[in-house]
Structures are given as structure tokens and as C-alpha cells.
Amino acid sequence: MAKKIGVFICTGCSIGEALDTEALARVATKEKKIPLCKKNAFLCGRQGAELIKQDVVAEGLEAVVIAACSPRINYDVFDFGPSTIVERVNLREQVVWSHPADDEDTQAMAEDYLRMGITKAQASELPVPYLAENMVKSILVVGGGLAGLTAANEAALAGYRVVLVEKEPFLGGFAGRMYKSAPSRPPYTDLEDTPVAGLVADVEASPLIEVHTKTTVARIEGGPCLYDVTLEKDGQPSSFRAGAIVVATGARPYDAARLDRLGYGRYANVVTGVALEDMAREGKIQRPADGKPVQNAVFVLCAGSRDPGHLPYCSSSCCVESLKQALYLKEQNPDAGVYVIFKDIRTLGRYEEFYKKVQNEGVIFIKGEVTAVSEDGSRNLSVEFADLLLGERAEAAEVDLVVLATGMVPSTVDYAEQGAEDCPAGNVPTVQQPVLNLAYRQGPELPALNYGFPDSHFICFPYETRRTGIYAAGSVRAPMDLAAATEDATGAAMKAIQCVELTSRGAAVHPRVGDLSYPEFFMQRCTQCKRCTEECPFGAINEDEKANPLPNPTRCRRCGVCMGACPERIISFKNYSVPMIGNMIKAIDVPEEDEEKPRIVVFACENDAYPALDMAGLNHLGYNAWVRVIPVRCLGSMNLVWVADSLSKGIDGILLLGCKHGDDYQCHFIKGSELADIRLSKVAETLGRLQLEPDRVRMVQVNIMDYDKVPGILDDFAERLVEIGPNPYKGF
Amino acid sequence: MADNSASSGRLKYEAGFAREVYGMENGSYLKLCMQCGVCAVSCATFKIMDYSPRRLFALVRAGRKEEVMKSNTFWMCTTCLMCKARCPRGIPIVDVMHDLKGLALKQGYVNYPQAAFYQAFWQDLAGRGRIFEGGVTARYFLKRGPKDFGKIMAQKDVGLKMLSHGRLPLRPPKAVKGKKELMQMVAKARELEQKGAN
Amino acid sequence: MRYFFYPGCSMEAGAGSYTKSLEAVARALDIELAEVPDWNCCGATVASSVIGDAPAQVMSLRNLAMVEGSGLDVVVACSSCYMNLALANRRFQNDPRFRALATKSLAAGGMQYRGKVRVRFILEVIANDVGFERIAARVKRPLKGLKVAGYVGCQSVRTIPWEFDDPEQPVALDELIGALGATAVPFPLKARCCGASHTLPQGEITSSSCRDILESAGEARLMVTPCPMCQLNLDAYQSEVNKAYGTNFQIPVLFFTQLMAVAFDLAPSTYGLKANIVAPGPVLAQYGVAV
Ligand code: SF4
Ligand code: SF4
Ligand code: SF4
Ligand code: SF4
């Protein structure tokens, strides 16, 4: 049954002057047979909004089509409650601000957009939030080190129940075994006790936190608010339900055995920073070989880090940790000769004060590259190095202790046996470690972004992993020091709280925060091709016993990648579907061939490309009026049938504007734009078979700041289409 | 890379000289040097220095006393203060240069003409409490001996011009009346400084 | 306005024209300058290297101790003297260890200092206490069209960076030039070192610095400076520079007070232009100045 729709055309913001709004209204009333179509000179003003509101109530409108400004603004003004569908037609930014006024082509563009908007409103349904039985809001924290303790504590302070799981018999983790920590307070020069003891006490005292030591996670099923977690302690399983998960399992030190160039393993007096920390905590730093006192010591920084043969990245905390340990030695023996051989000293922020303090204590810093470490008969070491400050070969002799500042490898991976190269941390073959044991079709652990760190895109999605509801914090996510891990854990706890709150209302988390729609499967037509289960960037779709896709709606981020992937087109959202977009394409009025007015459909990613188009309009940058832009949730939601729909409709070309993909992707759904690219490569063959030029379909990566380039991209494509000539299927 | 036969020629890090320098009046500031090289590119006379200030300080830390003390670096310093104004670590590099000159004079590293000039200048000053340029010049050339005769001749033209424009007073200025007390103050300060250093 | 004035050795000797013109200009601006009684040498850039920083600074403090009772500021016109007096004073005020040492040392010569004197550079006094407006108002012979390079030199602006001017690209002297009706030319090396006391032991160092500086003065017909050492090096050694580098510089280098005396149209006897080695006559003739 056709729903009741009202169309409202704004004539403000120069829309009224540039367009023939009477003609526009006739598209709604005559062509689309919408009886209610009103114009107003200031629709976003109080009276304008009031006008719509009254009609919604008086006429019982189910959907309103607002032909005015971009949907990216005034969404709060044009919100008429949860039972009214709102469809926005962007006449301002993308028509009148970017095209000449009083122009036949501009008018045609506006009319098409209105047709498309009405079509979409007709196809839209109100989303019904996904709510399941027994949704819970408690938070599982995996890892009882500094980050885990902090996350647990912060979540409990905000009133959430927490289950904290630690595999060791005690809480505290790596930082808990430190003798002292680097300064975190003014004057930023003095060593401090680590915050761990205090945190452990807080956690143990909290009535909201349940602590399980000597415990591992045996299995996690379900999704946000519905995680069924099985723990294992001494071989005994126990189960409970959790709402979200913070992974704070930390890092492991880089394997010093691989650094035999630096004498580790060959000479007992070559130790790692971790071992030095143990000695300091036990109260005596001495030569491990013979227990003699330490008069001269050499710290070798970046031992295995920032090294193409080992870990290519900076481990971020070892500079400051080594400074701290150099002070241990100076505290124990002020006359000790302490040398630090570094690549760069990275003491960011207030740590610079600490660096100065350590310099002031007489520690000598040398920029250099260690070439060899050797030992004499009395087990004194000699360190040879290229002195990059003096440009000479140099040596430190009679050295009692060489301390290697080994870097960090995330605890989600471990070193592999020869040959295995599952998940390389840099150039070191590693294998994934069982941490979460997720019952996910796409695998039991968190996908890694790089070098085994399970981040996704920190700038855009802080703390998020590619598993919705699971947030990584601390050195498991990226190399970091104590202060950063504390901040990280607090952030991740915050994200976990947001997740349980939104999910328990059936709403999506970032980046489509609050979206109540979710993909629904018309299972009768499923061919079990598995495309959706494989392509979902978030692993939201499992398989049931009969190998049918089994969606987990609370894991879903509503990107629509599954919808784009499905060759049977059985996946759709209430307000976003393959036929809906198909109908929008069909609503475009395609001129006859002899009019020489090509038509181009532009699928623009809502996150970056569409805003860039808006910004082009805002800056009054003009481009051709042949394009018809259709915003998509993600380029990955583009179903190839839309290409076919467009071409058979006589559209001359199809342009896809989406985010950057590849290693440094900017896609808001991680894999979406990459998948679109892959799908397109297949389209080219099909086009060839139909005697159509593959050039008719083009994909361009743009980000939001490319708004000044967007007009060029659109016009170039139009030019190319003119060269190719009109779509031969026009008029079929 | 491990060429053991050449190991004797390798620079050995040794902390003794650094300690000696750190013990001087402004020496401990050097600990803070982060070897950024800003002083080197700021220095007025960098081009003619054996080592830039930055490199000189690295040599101090490496314990290379002979190279440091025999270098011309601190003698070439003109006290223009550019490095001091720019050093991101706030090191009063000029004052460190003073200390190094002092150490060189004390320990007999006086091969540069500037060393003789400094000594001549001080002797003149100590004798009167004020400076008489003619006196400094005379003492300077006396110290340098015949090897600098050529230089006297080279500067003769300038000297004559200055003379004819009334720029070279022929008579020394009056001595400071309180000269004796002035020298007592200096002596006391040197004595206290000596004590303080140890 | 009353101040004590610390002349220093070179003002007394080779830079007599600085003293003479400064005194005349001060009179014209109602500034009273009383010489620091029985002043002694500040040690120049040399003493601290021979006897150590602290003893050399004690020498400087003796001069301040001489006048502390008066409550007047001490004005210094030589960059090097200013640096020594100001730094000694600052250290006395900020470094308790040095303060103790200096107090004892001064006492050994029967003197006492409490750190109350303000040491000020002449250019700063003119900029702040007199002000460029008053200077401009006093001008009787505007030096219209005269392109002047203001060479500040190194030590005065960098003794205490940003105390009153930019330590690398100072502007006060240029403003003063403007106040006299002349035009300050762009002069990138205006605060570069001239080579200082290397003149005697290694004149080639000075020549090379001076060449760069003279070249950087661009189209200036005249240079002014507030520093005796700089004036001497740039003026007396200009011919050496020309000889060594085959250049042909003919830029008279004046003390800025000389140019002020000219612009104020004071008695020509106060200009002291005869002491200038590169003759300023040809440049100044068009303003009716006979040298
Ligand atoms: S933090 Fe410092 S020692 Fe550690 S990898 Fe980075 S640069 Fe090297
Ligand atoms: S592909 Fe996107 S929309 Fe589909 S299930 Fe996965 S997250 Fe949800
Ligand atoms: S500028 Fe300062 S910190 Fe930098 S190299 Fe020179 S002395 Fe060292
Ligand atoms: S003060 Fe000395 S070392 Fe520093 S920049 Fe000037 S000449 Fe060079």
C-alpha cells in the first residue's frame, strides 16, 4: 500500500532564484502524484519546520521529502520523531550552489533529484530495532596488567559490572613487575612507584569487579550484549554473558635470542631491559656472570626495533625505560660510567625534562650503531660501534653490563617455528596466539592491522578492532608506555560502555551511531555462496549447521557490504536496499541520444566523497550538470546489478567515489572500498562481452579534503564519455 | 665489519676528561648537550674552526683530551653569543668556551696567537685596572717573538691610518685608583672559586 | 633623566668620537650622564678565560658597587662592557652561590654590593626612556633620502635575549634611523659578529666577517653602530677587506650618536667625524655637513 508522503520545497538559500520551483513542484504533484507539495522560503526556520510538523500530524504523513539543503546539516531541525521517514533532496549544495542559475540542465538535475528522492521515500520503511532476549551490559576485560586494571576500574566507576580475567596467578602484569616508573608528575624528573599497586587494591575492593586469575578465555560466542563467554581455570570451565570486551593482554618483549649480534645468549653480562628491571626490583644490579659490581654499563637502544631485519617499528617506550634504568645505575653508584647508544632519543612531551635530568646525572648519550660485542678473559665486555656524532669507529671497553632495550611484540602473536608466517610482526615470522577464541566464522582472533597489532584505524576509530564490541587497549594495540596505556584503557572502557548502551537499544555503534536498521536475509533464495560471510569486514555473519549464513545483528555496523556482495540480492535493510537504489536509477529522466546530454550516475560514499561534493558546492565550485549523485553507506554496499540497471536505462557512465583502500586505507568500513574495486574489476569483462567500453565505469579514491579536486574528477569523466559516445542501449 | 687488527686505532670512550670538564665553572652544562648541531650552524667562525662546538662537546664526552685542547675551536670563538641565544638546551656555550680557554692556558696548550693575546691583555689589565691598546699590542708581539714580525708589518698601514685619525692614543690611561683593592678582590675570587671547584 | 655612565676602556681611547657625540646628544635630550667614579675595565671578552668567569665578573661588579648608593641606573655604550656588566649583575641576582662568592670577594677589597643597580644599554635607554618620538621632534636636519645600514653587532642584543629587542633581527636601531629622517635599509647581517678581537692575532678572520657584513648592507651609503669594536673593525679594516677580496667598499661607519648629532644639528665640533677613517664627507655633504 502506497504510503502517505509530503513533499516540501525550500526556496531559500538562492534555490528559489536559481530554479523554476513551480516546475519542480509539478514533478511531485503531476508526475509522482503526490498531492501534498508545499514551498516555503525558509524551511529550516521555526515556521518552516512547524509547517511540516503540522502536516505530519494533520495529514498523517508517513514520510516527508525535503528538497532543500544537504542531509548533512539541519538533520536535527528536520527530525519529526521516530515514526516519520525523512528523505532529503540536496538542491542547495549539489545543485544550485554548484551549477548555473536559470539553466535548463540545472533544472533537469533538480527535477531528477526530486524524482529519486520521492522514489527512495516510497521504498523506505521504518527500521525496527534489533532486540534480543537477555541483553547484558557487563564488560569483560581480558588482561590484568596496567591497561586491564585501568579499564576495569574505569568501567566500574561508571557503574558497569566487570569481569576481569588474568592468566597469571596475580594481577599487575608487566608494569607490576617494574621497580619504578618514569615520571608522570611535575617536575617530571623523579622516578615514581608504578600506579599498579594502587589499581590492584581499587579493583579488588570494587563490588562491581569480579576478578579471575590463573584463568583464560576458552571460548566467546555471540556478539555485543550477547557474548557467551566460557572461562577456563585449572581445566574447569565456567560461563557467563558479557556485553562488550576490552582486550588488554599487553605485549611481550622482543626475543633477544635473535640479537646474538649484540652478544645476547653468548655473554651472561649482556642482559635485556626486562632482566635489569628484575635485578633492580630485587635490590641489586650486578654482573650476572660473576656477581661483581657494575662500574661501566652500556645501554643499546632500539635493540631489534626500527630495524628492517627485526621489528621495523618504534617500540615507543624503550627510550624512556632505558633512561629510567640508567638512573637506577646512577642511584646505585653515582660514579658509574653509563653510556646510552641510541638511534634517536624519543622522549616526547614532558619526558624531555626527564631526559635532561638523566643527562645531568652524567649519563653519556651517543648516537651510534653497535657493530659488535665481545668479551675478554675476565668477562669484561667491549662494545664496538660506529659513532655517528664523531663519524668514527669507537669502542667502550671494560664494560660490566650491556643492557638491550628490546622492543614490543603484541601478545596476540608469538614467534613462530621456522617457516611459519601466519602473521608477521615486521620481518619476524609469528603465529597468532589464542587469546579470545572467538566462535566467529572469520577466525578465532582479532584481525591485525599491521605487525600483529589488532588495531583498525586509530584516527577514525580509536580503540576499535575489526570485531564490533571488542576494544583493544594498551600495548597489545600499539607500542606504548604506562601513561599512554592508562589513557588508552580509559578510552577503550568508554567505547565498551557506548557499545553496550547503543546495542541494548538496537542501535549501531560508530560510525553509523544510532542507526536502527540492520540487514535482513530473505533466506529462501540463498544459494550458500558464502560471499556475505566472507566479505563482512566485521565478521558479523557466521554459518549455521546447514551452512546457511547466520547473521549476528549486534556485531553488525550497518555498512551494507553484505548487501553489495550478495549475487542473489537477498540482503536488505528497511531503509536501504538493492531494489531501492535500482528504482532511484530508473527514476532518472534520460534524454534521447540526439539531445547529446549524457547522464552519469555517481555512487558516492556517504562518509567522505559525499561531504566532499557538498564542500565543493559550499565553495561554489562548478561541475557538469550531467551527474546524478546517489549516496551509498559504503562503496562496498554497491551491488553490481546497479551497474546493469544504469546501463540498461541508457545511463552513459558510472562513477564510484570512495575512500582510499590498501594498507593505509581510509575506508570507514575498512574493506568496503577495496571490495568495490575488486567487484568492478569483474564488471569490466562483462562490459566487454556486451560490446560496451569498460571505461564507462570508473572508480576514484577521494577523501573529504579533496573537495577542490572533485569537480575535475567529474568533468574528466564526462569528457571521456563524450569521447566514447552515447550508450548504445539508450532507448531500449 | 669486525676488523680486529685495526682495533687499536679505534676511539675509546673514557669518562675521565669529561669529568674534568664537567668540574669547571660552566662545564657541567655540557652534560645537557643533545648534539643537535644548532650551535654549529649558528657560529660566526664555524668555517675556520677545527671542530664545531657540537663536535667539540662530543669529543669531550668521548674523552679525547688532546684533540680538544689542541683544537682552535674555543680560540676562534668571538663571544658573539649567537649559539648561546639559540641553543635549545640553554647551554651558555660561550661561557664553556671561556672555561676551555682557561683550561688550555693553565695546562700549557698555548700554540695559538690568541693565547698570547689573551695573556698580554690580562697582564696589561692587571697592571692598571684598565686597558691600553698600545700596551696590549706591544706585549702581544713580544710574546709571539720574531715569527709574527710579518704580521706587524701587514698591520702597519692600518695602524698608521688610525694614528692619523687620532684613533690610537699614545699614552696609557690613568690607572684605577683602587687598583690594589681591585686586585685583592680578584685574588679572593680566584681563591674561592678554586676552593669551590674542589 | 639622570644616569651613571660607564665608559669602558675603548670609549676612553680609540672611540673618543663616540664619547664626544654621545655626551652632546645626551645634553640635547636633557640626559645627565655622570661617569662612574674610578671605574675599572670589565675584562672584555678575555679576562674570564684567563682568570675564570667568577673572578672576572667580580671585577665588573666593583663598578656597580661604586654607584649603588645613588639609586641611579648605569648606562653602558660599549656592547662588550654591557655584556660583562649585565651578565655579572644578573648572575649576582640569580645565582646564590656566586652571590656569596662575589660578596666575600668584594669585601676583600673593602666594598659591598647588594644587587640593586640596573645595567642598561644605551640604545635601550634611548628607545625606552627617551622614545623615538622625542628624538624625531628634536631633529633639525632631517636626513631625508639617506640610506643607512644599522649594524647592531652581536653582544648587546644577545646578552639577555629579548630583553629589549630581537636577538637576531633587532629593530630598535632601524627605528632610530627612521626617527632621524633617514631610511634604514634591509640588512640581514645586522646582528652578525664582526670578528671582534681576532683583529690583532688573526686579522683575516675579521676581514672575512667584515666583508660579509659590508656586502649585506646592500645599497646603504652609510653604516651606524653602537659598538666601539665593530666600528673599529668595519671602519679601520675596510681597506684591508678591499685589498684581500678585491672589493671596493667605501661605506663610512659612524657611531649612531654621531649621526644623531648631525641630525640634531649640534655644534659640528661634537660630531667627531675626523676620527672616521672611511671619510663620511662625500655622503654627508648634501645635508650641508662639512667635514
Ligand atoms: S622508543 Fe627509543 S629505543 Fe625504543 S624503538 Fe623507539 S627509538 Fe628505539
Ligand atoms: S557486511 Fe556490514 S552490514 Fe553486512 S553484516 Fe557485516 S557489518 Fe553488517
Ligand atoms: S646547540 Fe646546544 S644542544 Fe645543540 S649541539 Fe650545540 S650545545 Fe649541544
Ligand atoms: S659565541 Fe663563539 S662559539 Fe658561539 S657562535 Fe659565537 S663565535 Fe661561535
Side-chain angles (χ1 to χ4, degrees), chain B residues 33-39 54 57 87-89 91 93:
Chain B
C33 171
M34 58 179 182
Q35 294 283 306
C36 64
V38 164
C39 50
R54 181 215 46 93
F57 302 158
C87 171
R89 278 300 174 78
I91 298 171
I93 299 165

Side-chain angles (χ1 to χ4, degrees), chain A residues 346-679:
Chain A
R346 294 185 168 174
T347 46
L348 305 188
R350 304 309 297 262
Y351 286 137
E352 191 69 4
E353 305 295 331
F354 186 51
Y355 178 22
K356 285 198 254 181
K357 147 93 174 191
V358 177
Q359 284 185 308
N360 248 329
E361 294 299 318
V363 174
I364 290 183
F365 290 82
I366 305 160
K367 186 176 172 78
E369 198 69 65
V370 173
T371 49
V373 177
S374 55
E375 192 182 70
D376 68 10
S378 27
R379 316 203 70 171
N380 294 328
L381 298 167
S382 154
V383 180
E384 290 169 42
F385 55 97
D387 187 326
L388 300 175
L389 295 172
L390 291 171
E392 294 175 44
R393 293 183 58 202
E395 176 188 0
E398 314 249 308
V399 175
D400 302 297
L401 199 63
V402 169
V403 186
L404 306 182
T406 47
M408 287 186 201
V409 177
S411 56
T412 43
V413 296
D414 202 355
Y415 308 103
E417 298 300 318
Q418 215 58 38
E421 257 193 58
D422 229 351
C423 183
N427 290 313
V428 200
T430 46
V431 285
Q432 208 162 45
Q433 284 303 289
V435 173
L436 296 176
N437 293 305
L438 300 168
Y440 279 41
R441 189 202 176 264
Q442 287 183 8
E445 298 300 331
L446 299 174
L449 175 66
N450 222 342
Y451 311 131
F453 292 100
D455 204 344
S456 61
H457 190 304
F458 192 78
I459 308 284
C460 298
F461 319 117
Y463 317 107
E464 285 183 14
T465 67
R466 277 181 54 193
R467 295 294 173 252
T468 309
I470 306 183
Y471 302 93
S475 53
V476 69
R477 184 182 68 72
M480 66 182 75
D481 69 350
L482 304 194
T486 303
E487 193 184 311
D488 225 45
T490 310
M494 203 65 195
K495 294 298 289 189
I497 290 170
Q498 288 173 354
C499 172
V500 295
E501 287 302 333
L502 287 162
T503 308
S504 60
R505 278 179 241 151
V509 297
H510 191 68
R512 296 188 59 84
V513 179
D515 187 352
L516 294 175
S517 71
Y518 63 91
E520 291 166 85
F521 293 63
F522 186 69
M523 218 49 103
Q524 285 90 321
R525 286 217 327 262
C526 173
T527 58
Q528 300 190 332
C529 74
K530 302 192 194 325
R531 292 263 299 274
C532 58
T533 58
E534 272 162 23
E535 291 190 9
C536 171
F538 306 100
I541 309 169
N542 272 15
E543 262 166 44
D544 66 12
E545 318 77 58
K546 298 197 201 101
N548 283 318
L550 180 66
N552 288 267
T554 67
R555 292 185 202 163
C556 170
R557 303 238 187 135
R558 284 74 168 172
C559 58
V561 165
C562 48
M563 174 179 120
C566 181
E568 296 300 315
R569 309 192 287 280
I570 63 163
I571 306 174
S572 41
F573 299 76
K574 286 263 187 303
N575 51 10
Y576 187 57
S577 67
V578 176
M580 170 196 280
I581 305 287
N583 287 339
M584 285 170 76
I585 296 167
K586 287 174 198 145
I588 297 170
D589 183 28
V590 179
E592 297 298 319
E593 190 182 328
D594 51 13
E595 287 183 48
E596 296 191 349
K597 288 185 193 291
R599 284 291 175 261
I600 303 165
V601 167
V602 179
F603 293 109
C605 155
E606 269 177 22
N607 305 292
D608 265 44
Y610 194 83
L613 281 159
D614 273 0
M615 279 166 74
L618 222 57
N619 287 286
H620 294 268
L621 305 176
Y623 48 87
N624 69 75
W626 300 343
V627 297
R628 300 292 179 263
V629 176
I630 298 178
V632 291
R633 291 183 172 195
C634 170
L635 270 197
S637 68
M638 191 217 47
N639 196 294
L640 283 184
V641 78
W642 297 341
V643 174
D645 287 348
S646 305
L647 293 172
S648 59
K649 169 80 187 169
I651 300 286
D652 298 278
I654 295 138
L655 181 63
L656 275 62
L657 295 180
C659 299
K660 190 165 183 206
H661 54 79
D663 269 354
D664 48 352
Y665 66 86
Q666 291 181 359
C667 174
H668 291 55
F669 298 99
I670 298 165
K671 289 275 166 213
S673 59
E674 186 176 325
L675 289 166
D677 197 36
I678 295 171
R679 287 177 205 154

Side-chain angles (χ1 to χ4, degrees), chain B residues 5-70:
Chain B
S5 61
S7 65
S8 56
R10 212 179 288 133
L11 147 68
K12 272 210 172 132
Y13 267 75
E14 196 277 317
F17 181 50
R19 282 206 191 102
E20 188 176 353
V21 173
Y22 293 168
M24 297 190 307
E25 202 174 344
N26 303 292
S28 69
Y29 285 113
L30 279 200
K31 292 176 178 172
L32 283 178
C33 171
M34 58 179 182
Q35 294 283 306
C36 64
V38 164
C39 50
V41 295
S42 309
C43 180
T45 51
F46 164 57
K47 275 187 244 142
I48 48 173
M49 284 175 170
D50 290 341
Y51 313 117
S52 71
R54 181 215 46 93
R55 197 179 166 86
L56 189 78
F57 302 158
L59 286 166
V60 168
R61 289 174 180 179
R64 299 242 285 233
K65 180 164 183 178
E66 286 302 302
E67 277 146 284
V68 171
M69 296 318 291
K70 285 183 180 155

